[in-house]
Amino acid sequence: MPQPAIAETVTDLRATVRAWKREGLSVGMVPTMGALHEGHVSLMKLALEKADRCVVSIFVNPAQFAPTEDLDKYPRQLAKDLTCLADAGVHLAFTPSAAEMYPAGFASKVSVGGPSAGLETDFRPHFFDGVATVVTKLFLQTAPDLAVFGEKDYQQLCVVRQLCRDLDIPVEIIGAPTVRDAHGLAMSSRNAYLDEAGLAVARQLNKILRGAAAAIAKNGDADGETVRARRAIQQAGFEGVDYVAARDALTLGEWQLGREGRLLAAGWLGKTRLIDNVEIPT
Ligand code: PAF
């Protein structure tokens, strides 16, 4: 398996991408925070299908963590991640330091409206500014033709689409379906925090959401079904539920019967926060 080239600086990243573009090659990007799993591999495969070259960034972005969150604890496993990139056939890993991304004196941020309102923002108000800022930087640094994001982070996907539309960033954003284990649990780097008992509870989340989404499609009672789903998630063993919400799949505004919808949820198992979402069938 050929190893991916590694760029630790923006200068090196740009030099490699510029050389590819001179050869007429298209470039796909998958932004990640590392701790790579099958979900990330599916994004890389899609990028490799759609573009001639694939860049994966690995950067645990401090700007999207609040001081109380798991930045220090977030899993870091660069050697293992590089093996994963080699196996997937990725061409370049961009692994900048925090100082490369946010040098002393850094004082800007990108803030996206629209789909960033509510849901995650109600509980992590700093989050989407941090994501939008780093994604804008990654796109300006890499200048990819396309970038792939997972539907697992559905609100993030909508925010990144809005960002590129609003700021005329010429990167095609491709959403990739959530990869799940045999029990339907969405792949997430944070699953690594869970023991067997925690995993058994976590695996209930997607089942409850799928049941609630089917019921909403049938009876149109989004309010009643989200209340019932919240109760079921708590009864399954989640200690806290931040939200269960039925939203318009495109705008993330209020969902209305007959429109494409998405049922989104976030909950806590001990100190681990898990999110998931499913389609509301039309
Ligand atoms: O989804 C993630 O892993 C991160 O939010 C992203 C898009 C890489 C930005 O840091």
Side-chain angles (χ1 to χ4, degrees):
M1 246 345 126
Q3 294 298 311
I6 299 175
E8 292 180 350
T9 64
V10 176
T11 307
D12 287 352
L13 167 71
R14 284 193 169 134
T16 304
V17 173
R18 211 178 300 123
W20 288 339
K21 294 221 165 154
R22 268 200 301 268
E23 287 179 59
L25 300 171
S26 60
V27 179
M29 173 165 216
V30 180
T32 82
M33 297 206 298
L36 302 176
H37 50 68
E38 277 175 65
H40 294 110
V41 173
S42 75
L43 309 184
M44 295 170 206
K45 285 200 175 132
L46 198 51
L48 284 160
E49 259 169 52
K50 304 235 171 229
D52 301 312
R53 292 289 179 269
C54 177
V55 181
V56 171
S57 59
I58 298 179
F59 177 63
V60 183
N61 174 33
Q64 66 192 74
F65 290 77
T68 50
E69 291 180 344
D70 56 346
L71 174 62
D72 293 335
K73 208 176 123 212
Y74 198 84
R76 287 164 175 85
Q77 44 169 59
L78 185 59
K80 205 166 156 201
D81 286 348
L82 291 175
T83 305
C84 173
L85 299 192
D87 291 346
V90 166
H91 301 90
L92 178 66
F94 178 45
T95 60
S97 64
E100 179 74 7
M101 292 300 275
Y102 299 113
F106 185 91
S108 299
K109 81 174 170 199
V110 179
S111 198
V112 179
S116 71
L119 303 171
E120 287 299 294
T121 297
D122 287 343
F123 298 89
R124 308 183 69 199
H126 57 282
F127 180 68
F128 285 120
D129 284 358
V131 169
T133 302
V134 82
V135 168
T136 304
K137 282 177 67 77
L138 289 168
F139 285 175
L140 290 171
Q141 292 161 344
T142 313
D145 299 288
L146 61 91
V148 186
F149 289 81
E151 287 183 352
K152 151 83 176 23
D153 298 292
Y154 195 82
Q155 191 177 10
Q156 170 173 279
L157 172 61
C158 295
V159 168
V160 171
R161 285 193 203 283
Q162 182 86 37
L163 165 73
C164 290
R165 216 169 28 240
D166 288 354
L167 301 188
D168 303 309
I169 299 176
V171 177
E172 182 193 352
I173 303 302
I174 297 172
T178 303
V179 176
R180 299 178 181 278
D181 75 3
H183 308 270
L185 174 66
M187 295 287 177
S188 162
S189 305
R190 289 189 168 101
N191 293 349
Y193 299 151
L194 301 174
D195 59 15
E196 273 309 313
L199 282 172
V201 176
R203 287 177 174 138
Q204 299 306 308
L205 181 59
N206 76 94
K207 296 190 176 82
I208 295 166
L209 290 181
R210 271 189 285 119
I216 292 171
K218 211 159 154 196
N219 62 22
D221 181 13
D223 290 346
E225 295 301 339
T226 51
V227 169
R228 276 188 279 281
R230 172 184 279 269
R231 206 178 302 132
I233 293 167
Q234 274 161 338
Q235 278 164 359
F238 277 80
E239 283 105 340
V241 179
D242 282 351
Y243 59 82
V244 181
R247 293 295 176 91
D248 184 284
L250 295 180
T251 63
L252 291 189
E254 209 175 301
W255 174 79
Q256 307 202 324
L257 193 58
R259 298 269 308 161
E260 267 182 61
R262 210 84 195 179
L263 184 65
L264 306 100
W268 288 90
L269 267 174
K271 289 191 172 136
T272 305
R273 187 171 185 274
L274 297 181
I275 62 172
D276 200 356
N277 68 87
V278 298
E279 192 183 348
I280 300 173
T282 39

